[in-house]
Amino acid sequence: MSRAGRTLAVTAAVLLAAQQCAPPAFAVAPPPIDNSLLPSPAAPAPPEPTEQRAPCAVPLRGEAKRLRPGQLDGVDLQAIWRLTRGAGQRVAVIDTGVQPHRRLPGVVAGGDYVSGGDGRQDCDGHGTIVAGIIAAAPDPEDRSGFSGVAPEASILAIRQSSNTFGPLSDPSSRGFGDVTTLAMAVRTAADMGASVINISSVACVEGTLDDRALGAALSYAVDVKDVVVVAAAGNVGGTGQCPAQNTTPQTSVIVSPGWYDDYVLTVASVGVDGAPSAFSLTGPWVDVAAHGEAVVSLDPDGDGTVDAIPGASGPMPITGTSYATPVVSGLVALVRARFPRMSARQVMARIEATAHQPSGGWNVQVGNGVVDCLAALSDHPASPPVPKPGPAPVRSDPPPRSAPARGIAAAAVGLCLAGLAAAGSTRLRRRRRDDVTAD
């Protein structure tokens, strides 16, 4: 079942009155899928030698009792868990690694494209927060009330990017991971049995980029391995974030992997009041939205929770499309556990169709609207989502299951962590920690 549009339409009028005019085509479309560029299967490893260049970043500890609504406070997890808790689903977190935590039992080592670990090291603090939102087990002693969306799903940890490492070949560079290693990580996750892949980092540029290997990997994951890929829409307004907001059809800030819309469920952020987050990058690839503000999750440097980072005038809340994305990944795990016969594309369509539709229909800010977990898990069949404006996508045939790779052609475009709180390690309290393999 094909999803509408990678070459899509968007205008400023969509934001105000989507029904009143037919929007023109968006200025930039992704390259066609070239299955010959699918990365070959290989053990994860950095493509070149790296070294740690900054201390590991550590967010602030969570408060014992929050005074304001949190990210998941509006989600009736108890009602959801009477239907399913996500058992049997493996969610790959392709990120900065996932640090072992007592409330994430049995994290599977998926490999490391940054250093010499196995994926269960998180010097940036980002991937652990993401993984906690997906699958943290409840803890009756935690008075914050935090737990993950799908606590019986397992996490496959793949470290693919880091702001604290850099290549030895460029002593002045800080940060490691690009669309090439992301393509490799997607293939690895699919081959290791992931049913869901969470990507909370993005490449966003003005113009275009050569990420064809990533496109081939996404096609392989969805069409060959039947994986649901959930990705962040990206952020604007912070250091190391996307360069500008998309406000007109001529704006050409594109986001990868989001612009491969036929293969990716792309997630925007809203606040706890349901309004679109000001930092959430708009675009024709946006499919749904979830809460990405007032985030609470697992402490990557302890056994408790975190809910803030140090700021110039005091603690700042954790926010970003990075953290809206795992809400949807957790929901995907729940849907796949409850309806195991659904294909990846059917699951994607169901989540879009059961979201709270905006009054004017699909729009570039929140796509089909904020996800509705209970509706997505209902026994009643969902109506097909309203197609996005624009022509239907032109897709390649899926690659054969034994498709050999014949090379990788991709620009070394760096990735931004799509969480404003954890994107720049200079904004986090730091302490030194050796980068060692987890037990």
Coordinates of all heavy atoms in Angstrom, one line a residue, residues 389-433:
P389 N -1.5 16.8 -0.5 CA -1.6 17.4 -1.8 C -0.4 17.1 -2.6 O 0.7 16.9 -2.1 CB -1.7 18.9 -1.5 CG -1.1 19.1 -0.1 CD -1.5 17.8 0.6
G390 N -0.6 17.0 -3.9 CA 0.6 16.7 -4.8 C 0.5 15.3 -5.4 O -0.4 14.5 -5.1
P391 N 1.3 15.0 -6.4 CA 1.3 13.8 -7.1 C 1.7 12.6 -6.2 O 2.4 12.8 -5.2 CB 2.2 14.0 -8.3 CG 3.2 15.0 -7.8 CD 2.4 15.9 -6.9
A392 N 1.3 11.4 -6.6 CA 1.7 10.2 -5.9 C 3.1 10.0 -6.1 O 3.7 10.3 -7.2 CB 0.8 9.0 -6.3
P393 N 3.8 9.3 -5.2 CA 5.3 9.1 -5.3 C 5.6 8.1 -6.4 O 4.8 7.2 -6.7 CB 5.7 8.5 -4.0 CG 4.4 7.9 -3.4 CD 3.3 8.7 -3.9
V394 N 6.7 8.2 -7.0 CA 7.2 7.2 -8.0 C 8.3 6.4 -7.2 O 9.3 6.9 -6.8 CB 7.9 7.9 -9.2 CG1 8.5 6.9 -10.1 CG2 6.9 8.8 -9.9
R395 N 8.0 5.1 -7.0 CA 8.9 4.3 -6.2 C 9.5 3.3 -7.1 O 9.0 2.8 -8.1 CB 8.0 3.5 -5.1 CG 7.4 4.4 -4.1 CD 6.5 3.6 -3.2 NE 7.1 2.4 -2.8 CZ 6.5 1.2 -2.8 NH1 5.3 1.1 -3.4 NH2 7.1 0.1 -2.5
S396 N 10.7 2.8 -6.6 CA 11.4 1.8 -7.3 C 10.8 0.4 -6.9 O 10.0 0.3 -6.0 CB 12.9 1.8 -6.9 OG 13.0 1.4 -5.6
D397 N 11.1 -0.6 -7.7 CA 10.8 -2.0 -7.2 C 11.6 -2.3 -6.0 O 12.8 -1.9 -5.9 CB 11.0 -3.0 -8.3 CG 10.1 -2.8 -9.5 OD1 8.9 -2.3 -9.3 OD2 10.5 -3.1 -10.6
P398 N 11.1 -3.0 -5.0 CA 11.9 -3.4 -3.9 C 13.1 -4.2 -4.3 O 13.0 -5.0 -5.3 CB 11.0 -4.1 -3.0 CG 9.9 -4.6 -3.8 CD 9.8 -3.6 -4.9
P399 N 14.3 -4.1 -3.6 CA 15.4 -4.9 -4.0 C 15.2 -6.4 -3.6 O 14.4 -6.7 -2.7 CB 16.5 -4.3 -3.1 CG 15.8 -3.7 -2.0 CD 14.5 -3.2 -2.5
P400 N 15.9 -7.3 -4.4 CA 15.7 -8.7 -4.0 C 16.4 -8.9 -2.6 O 17.2 -8.2 -2.2 CB 16.5 -9.4 -5.1 CG 17.5 -8.4 -5.6 CD 16.7 -7.1 -5.5
R401 N 16.0 -10.0 -1.9 CA 16.5 -10.2 -0.6 C 18.0 -10.5 -0.5 O 18.6 -10.2 0.5 CB 15.7 -11.4 0.1 CG 14.3 -11.1 0.3 CD 13.6 -12.2 1.1 NE 12.2 -11.8 1.3 CZ 11.8 -11.2 2.4 NH1 12.6 -10.8 3.3 NH2 10.5 -10.9 2.6
S402 N 18.5 -10.9 -1.6 CA 20.0 -11.1 -1.6 C 20.7 -10.0 -2.4 O 21.8 -10.2 -2.9 CB 20.3 -12.5 -2.3 OG 19.8 -12.5 -3.6
A403 N 20.1 -8.8 -2.5 CA 20.6 -7.8 -3.3 C 22.0 -7.4 -2.9 O 22.3 -7.0 -1.7 CB 19.7 -6.5 -3.3
P404 N 23.0 -7.5 -3.8 CA 24.4 -7.1 -3.4 C 24.5 -5.6 -3.5 O 23.9 -4.9 -4.3 CB 25.3 -7.8 -4.4 CG 24.4 -7.9 -5.6 CD 23.0 -8.1 -5.1
A405 N 25.4 -5.1 -2.7 CA 25.7 -3.6 -2.7 C 26.8 -3.4 -3.8 O 27.7 -4.2 -3.8 CB 26.2 -3.1 -1.4
R406 N 26.7 -2.4 -4.6 CA 27.7 -2.1 -5.6 C 28.3 -0.7 -5.4 O 28.5 0.1 -6.3 CB 27.1 -2.2 -7.0 CG 26.7 -3.7 -7.3 CD 26.3 -3.8 -8.8 NE 25.0 -3.2 -9.0 CZ 23.8 -3.9 -8.8 NH1 23.9 -5.1 -8.4 NH2 22.7 -3.3 -9.1
G407 N 28.5 -0.4 -4.1 CA 29.1 0.9 -3.8 C 28.1 1.8 -3.1 O 26.9 1.6 -3.1
I408 N 28.7 2.8 -2.4 CA 27.9 3.8 -1.7 C 28.2 5.2 -2.3 O 29.4 5.6 -2.4 CB 28.2 3.8 -0.2 CG1 27.8 2.4 0.4 CG2 27.5 4.9 0.5 CD1 28.2 2.2 1.8
A409 N 27.2 6.0 -2.7 CA 27.5 7.3 -3.1 C 26.7 8.3 -2.3 O 25.5 8.3 -2.4 CB 27.1 7.5 -4.6
A410 N 27.3 8.9 -1.4 CA 26.6 9.9 -0.5 C 27.5 10.9 0.0 O 28.7 10.7 0.3 CB 26.0 9.1 0.7
A411 N 27.1 12.2 0.0 CA 27.9 13.2 0.5 C 28.0 13.1 2.0 O 27.2 12.5 2.7 CB 27.2 14.6 0.3
A412 N 29.1 13.5 2.6 CA 29.4 13.4 4.0 C 28.7 14.5 4.7 O 29.3 15.5 5.2 CB 30.9 13.4 4.3
V413 N 27.3 14.4 4.7 CA 26.5 15.5 5.3 C 26.3 15.1 6.8 O 25.8 14.0 7.1 CB 25.2 15.6 4.6 CG1 24.3 16.6 5.3 CG2 25.4 16.0 3.2
G414 N 26.7 16.0 7.7 CA 26.6 15.7 9.1 C 25.1 15.7 9.6 O 24.3 16.3 8.9
L415 N 24.9 15.1 10.7 CA 23.6 15.0 11.3 C 23.4 15.9 12.5 O 24.3 16.1 13.2 CB 23.2 13.6 11.7 CG 23.3 12.5 10.6 CD1 23.1 11.1 11.1 CD2 22.3 12.8 9.5
C416 N 22.2 16.5 12.6 CA 21.8 17.2 13.8 C 21.0 16.3 14.7 O 20.0 15.7 14.2 CB 21.0 18.5 13.4 SG 21.8 19.6 12.3
L417 N 21.3 16.3 16.0 CA 20.4 15.7 16.9 C 19.1 16.6 17.1 O 19.3 17.7 17.4 CB 21.0 15.5 18.3 CG 22.3 14.7 18.2 CD1 22.9 14.6 19.7 CD2 22.2 13.3 17.6
A418 N 18.0 16.0 16.8 CA 16.7 16.8 16.8 C 16.1 17.0 18.1 O 14.9 17.0 18.3 CB 15.8 16.1 15.8
G419 N 17.0 17.2 19.1 CA 16.5 17.6 20.4 C 17.2 18.9 20.9 O 18.4 18.8 21.0
L420 N 16.5 19.9 21.1 CA 17.2 21.2 21.4 C 18.0 21.1 22.7 O 19.0 21.8 23.0 CB 16.2 22.3 21.5 CG 15.4 22.6 20.2 CD1 14.4 23.7 20.5 CD2 16.4 23.0 19.1
A421 N 17.5 20.2 23.6 CA 18.2 20.1 24.9 C 19.5 19.3 24.8 O 20.4 19.6 25.6 CB 17.3 19.4 25.9
A422 N 19.6 18.4 23.9 CA 20.7 17.5 23.9 C 21.5 17.6 22.7 O 22.5 16.9 22.4 CB 20.3 16.0 24.1
A423 N 21.2 18.6 21.8 CA 21.9 18.7 20.5 C 23.3 19.2 20.7 O 24.2 18.8 20.0 CB 21.1 19.6 19.6
G424 N 23.5 20.1 21.6 CA 24.9 20.7 21.8 C 25.4 20.4 23.2 O 24.8 20.8 24.2
S425 N 26.5 19.7 23.3 CA 26.9 19.3 24.6 C 27.4 20.5 25.4 O 27.5 20.4 26.6 CB 28.1 18.3 24.5 OG 29.2 18.8 23.8
T426 N 27.7 21.6 24.8 CA 28.1 22.8 25.5 C 26.9 23.3 26.4 O 27.1 24.1 27.3 CB 28.5 23.9 24.6 OG1 27.5 24.2 23.7 CG2 29.8 23.5 23.9
R427 N 25.7 22.9 26.1 CA 24.5 23.3 26.8 C 24.2 22.4 28.0 O 23.2 22.6 28.7 CB 23.3 23.5 25.9 CG 23.5 24.4 24.8 CD 22.3 24.6 23.9 NE 21.2 25.1 24.7 CZ 19.9 25.1 24.2 NH1 19.7 24.6 23.0 NH2 19.0 25.6 25.0
L428 N 25.0 21.3 28.2 CA 24.7 20.4 29.2 C 25.8 20.4 30.3 O 27.0 20.7 30.0 CB 24.6 19.0 28.7 CG 23.6 18.7 27.6 CD1 23.7 17.3 27.1 CD2 22.2 19.0 28.2
R429 N 25.4 20.1 31.5 CA 26.4 19.9 32.6 C 27.3 18.8 32.2 O 26.9 17.7 31.7 CB 25.7 19.6 33.9 CG 26.7 19.5 35.0 CD 25.9 19.5 36.4 NE 24.9 18.5 36.4 CZ 25.1 17.3 36.8 NH1 26.3 16.9 37.1 NH2 24.0 16.4 36.8
R430 N 28.6 18.9 32.4 CA 29.6 17.9 31.9 C 30.3 17.2 33.0 O 30.5 17.7 34.0 CB 30.6 18.5 31.0 CG 30.1 19.3 29.8 CD 31.2 20.0 29.1 NE 30.8 20.7 27.9 CZ 31.5 21.5 27.2 NH1 32.8 21.8 27.6 NH2 31.1 22.1 26.1
R431 N 30.6 16.0 32.8 CA 31.6 15.3 33.6 C 32.4 14.3 32.7 O 31.9 13.9 31.7 CB 31.0 14.6 34.8 CG 30.4 13.2 34.5 CD 30.1 12.5 35.8 NE 29.5 11.2 35.5 CZ 30.2 10.1 35.3 NH1 31.5 10.1 35.3 NH2 29.6 9.0 35.1
R432 N 33.6 14.0 33.1 CA 34.4 13.1 32.3 C 34.0 11.7 32.6 O 33.8 11.3 33.7 CB 35.9 13.3 32.5 CG 36.4 14.7 32.1 CD 37.9 14.8 32.2 NE 38.3 16.1 31.7 CZ 38.4 16.5 30.4 NH1 38.2 15.6 29.5 NH2 38.8 17.7 30.1
R433 N 33.9 10.9 31.5 CA 33.6 9.5 31.7 C 34.3 8.7 30.6 O 34.2 9.1 29.4 CB 32.1 9.3 31.6 CG 31.6 7.8 31.7 CD 30.1 7.7 31.8 NE 29.5 8.0 30.6 CZ 28.3 8.6 30.5 NH1 27.7 9.0 31.5 NH2 27.8 8.9 29.3

